[in-house]
Amino acid sequence: MVQSPGRVNLIGEHTDYNDGCVLPAALDLATWVAAAPRDDGRLRTVAARLGEADDVPLSDLRPREGPPWTRYVRGVAALLQEAGCTLPGADLLIDGDLPLSGGLSSSASLELGVGLALAELAGWAVDRRDLALLAQRAEHEFAGVRCGIMDQFAVAFGQAGHVLLIDCRTLEVEPVPVPGDVRILVLDSAVPRTLAGSAYNQRRAECEEAVRQLQAHYPAVLALRDASLEMLAAAGLEGVVLRRARHVVTENARVLESVAALRRGDVAAVGQLMCASHTSLRDDYEVSGPELDALVEIADDTPGVYGARLTGAGFGGSCVALAAAPQSETAAALIMDHYRQQTGRAGQAYVCTPVQGVHVLRDLANL
Ligand code: GLA
């Protein structure tokens, strides 16, 4: 059995596919994958929470009709085999307490959980970095979302009590401790993430257009990570392309400032950077919505909260907030009461601490 966490990103949104930096953590909300071998060359999967199943031959895993989640499972199995992992067949039972479509990377959590479970069954030693890259490819090729590497790396490399500074160009991961008197609040808006795939790919294309325009003046620019606000102005970027690029450039700086602030224990400064991040995502990147804006505003006005922002791709999903540990439970409850009254949405708050990344649970008797 494998436990595969979800992730929440503290700051650094839509920077990963621009070669920038991100600061996520693995969450104590997870997907569990129980696996047993078969010898008939079939991959049979039951998704317990959805009451759905998939039964396909390992020799033919290309996407066909079927519930969306099957693409992640089949994609990971197909790419593992392509990488040389021999699978004789498997039964997988998937369950968990990670909200689905909540912007907490239930897809990456599923990909890594299935990947590690199948590799383990096959006795195939797999490196975490390779598994994360393989899972990202599964998402590109089987689900059609051109995601960056943040989610898969957060799920793969999570460390208890730490956020991870990931440089998405070099793929270096540096754990940064979260002060012990601080809690991460995950605030699920209960607005399902709609249009996430198509609007996400569109944002990515707009960033590529910004790079193309920058390169006419600055040939050394390979990605928006290499640009500054002065360069955006000098290259004459305008309109939507300018706003998208401005978000990425300022957000990348906010990640590095947040790490510096965390290291000196200045949580209030991190909170302010989170609020600035949300404003930029709302106005320049245009991936927020009325409910996410309401959640951030409410959280911000709640005693004990340092700051809040939408987390993940946006277009629905969740917000993340930082709160003082002693007030965190009360703050979470207050925020959700207020949110429900204001929007009529159910919503759900979780007081989280960062946990270890995907791993095999060997001693099931003692769970
Ligand atoms: C999704 C993607 C990530 C990242 C975020 C936005 O979660 O899977 O790669 O781009 O959106 O920061």
Side-chain angles (χ1 to χ4, degrees), residues 141-161:
E141 294 174 21
F142 285 73
V145 179
R146 296 175 62 211
C147 64
I149 195 60
M150 167 171 74
D151 304 347
Q152 289 78 11
F153 260 48
V155 174
F157 291 104
Q159 263 199 30

Side-chain angles (χ1 to χ4, degrees), residues 34-46 54-56 58 77 87-93 114 117-118 121-122:
R38 301 176 63 85
D39 57 12
D40 59 359
R42 297 197 73 82
L43 177 63
R44 302 202 332 163
T45 313
V46 171
D54 192 39
D55 184 351
V56 277
L58 279 164
L87 295 167
D91 276 320
L92 300 177
L93 174 62
V114 166
L118 289 176
L121 271 191

Side-chain angles (χ1 to χ4, degrees), residues 117-198:
L118 289 176
E120 183 79 11
L121 271 191
W124 199 63
V126 67
D127 173 87
R128 273 167 198 273
R129 189 174 180 274
D130 293 344
L131 192 61
L133 291 168
L134 183 146
Q136 182 197 25
R137 253 187 79 202
E139 189 131 348
H140 287 197
E141 294 174 21
F142 285 73
V145 179
R146 296 175 62 211
C147 64
I149 195 60
M150 167 171 74
D151 304 347
Q152 289 78 11
F153 260 48
V155 174
F157 291 104
Q159 263 199 30
H162 292 73
V163 285
L164 307 173
L165 172 60
I166 305 171
D167 181 324
C168 299
R169 172 169 278 167
T170 63
L171 297 184
E172 270 166 303
V173 180
E174 197 184 328
V176 180
V178 176
D181 54 356
V182 169
R183 294 287 175 275
I184 297 176
L185 307 186
V186 170
L187 309 166
D188 185 350
S189 69
V191 177
R193 293 182 52 224
T194 46
L195 284 179
S198 55

Side-chain angles (χ1 to χ4, degrees), residues 7 13-14 16-17 147-148 150-151 200 312-313:
R7 71 95 187 87
E13 224 60 84
H14 293 278
D16 62 350
Y17 52 84
C147 64
M150 167 171 74
D151 304 347
Y200 183 90

